Amino acid sequence: MSVLIGTEGLYLAHGSQTVLRDVNLSLARGEIVTIVGPNGSGKSSLLRALIGALAPARGRITRAPGLRIGYVPQKLAIDATLPLTVARFLGLPRRISATRAGEVLTGAGVSGLADRQMSALSGGQFQRVLLARALLDTPDLLILDEPTQGLDQPGSAAFYQQIETVRQETGCGVLMVSHDLHVVMAASDRVLCVNGHICCEGTPDIVASAPEYRALFGTGTRGALALYRHEHSHSHGPEGDHAHDHDHHHETTGA
């Protein structure tokens, strides 16, 4: 797999305060990686550094040549009194064709919303329109900062399923920050647990077993994750039949 983006010995600071230290990570094409951690742990700062909005204090960030990044922010405030259709919003600051608007809205799972006013969208629809905007340039890497904040669990699960669909259809890599521990960890290939540094990392099962993760989020999250993964751990055979996999849980001391 080709590496899209990576860091080596990355330190990030706000003024004189170090918020993240010695971060080494890499993300490959087609991989879904999720960053979890408590408030103030440096998650959003890491994303800002990766998209080029925050300069490293030390270390370096490497990007594949010509890397195209699509970014879905944590939230976006739009004046409710401003008359702005979805199609017009997608066409700012540069105009796009109605065909292209329809393509990205379909890719985000909200076809048919082009003529709707932005102020009339539900929370879930609004986030999917932000996703559609991020897909405009056919990104190699999709970066999402807590994209389901404010959505209920079914809405969050549906959004992450859409991200999986985007990954399957485009082959892009996905890096996201999330607080939806149960849902998002089941949707991830790899999880990074961050609290000023990378406390532990690995597959969802391994991270959920790690003492560092349990210390931050409690042991109850382990059982909920196991239940969710068990209910969804099946694959479709060539005839559409369900071949169930057995969950394998690993204990680890973390890193």
Side-chain angles (χ1 to χ4, degrees):
M1 280 190 179
S2 58
V3 174
L4 297 175
I5 199 164
T7 69
E8 295 177 32
L10 182 68
Y11 282 70
L12 299 177
H14 295 312
S16 61
Q17 181 184 5
T18 298
V19 293
L20 266 180
R21 64 184 188 275
D22 200 23
V23 172
N24 299 288
L25 67 84
S26 66
L27 191 144
R29 183 175 298 279
E31 188 177 26
I32 296 183
V33 175
T34 300
I35 302 170
V36 300
N39 290 337
S41 60
K43 305 185 301 294
S44 291
S45 295
L46 178 56
L47 293 198
R48 291 183 63 227
L50 293 176
I51 64 174
L54 178 63
R58 282 170 51 191
R60 67 178 188 148
I61 299 170
T62 56
R63 300 176 180 88
L67 180 69
R68 297 187 305 273
I69 295 177
Y71 178 63
V72 179
Q74 190 173 106
K75 55 192 171 192
L76 182 66
I78 294 180
D79 189 335
T81 64
L82 184 69
L84 182 66
T85 64
V86 169
R88 184 74 186 275
F89 171 73
L90 293 175
L92 296 174
R94 64 184 190 276
R95 295 180 69 89
I96 60 170
S97 68
T99 299
R100 184 59 181 150
E103 287 171 351
V104 294
L105 287 170
T106 297
V110 281
S111 58
L113 287 187
D115 295 328
R116 185 84 62 88
Q117 289 290 322
M118 290 292 292
S119 59
L121 300 179
S122 69
Q125 289 171 332
F126 191 94
Q127 289 306 111
R128 286 176 185 247
V129 169
L130 292 184
L131 173 60
R133 186 182 173 89
L135 296 176
L136 278 172
D137 292 328
T138 316
D140 306 298
L141 174 62
L142 192 57
I143 294 182
L144 307 98
D145 189 359
E146 298 208 27
T148 62
Q149 195 169 51
L151 302 185
D152 59 16
Q153 185 152 327
S156 297
F159 186 90
Y160 291 125
Q161 184 57 54
Q162 192 66 41
I163 295 299
E164 168 63 25
T165 299
V166 169
R167 186 260 296 260
Q168 289 177 353
E169 292 179 349
T170 69
C172 69
V174 178
L175 179 66
M176 54 189 169
V177 163
S178 180
H179 61 283
D180 301 305
L181 298 176
H182 307 156
V183 178
V184 78
M185 286 182 61
S188 306
D189 298 318
R190 193 155 49 92
V191 177
L192 306 180
C193 184
V194 172
N195 192 21
H197 66 290
I198 296 179
C199 309
C200 51
E201 63 178 302
T203 63
D205 281 335
I206 287 176
V207 169
S209 303
E212 294 87 350
Y213 176 86
R214 295 188 189 193
L216 289 174
F217 298 112
T219 56
T221 55
R222 175 87 165 93
L225 172 65
L227 175 64
Y228 185 92
R229 288 179 63 79
H230 179 74
E231 290 173 353
H232 293 77
S233 61
H234 63 263
S235 57
H236 294 274
E239 306 303 322
D241 55 314
H242 290 63
H244 285 270
D245 302 320
H246 294 290
D247 263 350
H248 297 286
H249 301 302
H250 307 277
E251 295 299 328
T252 179
T253 57

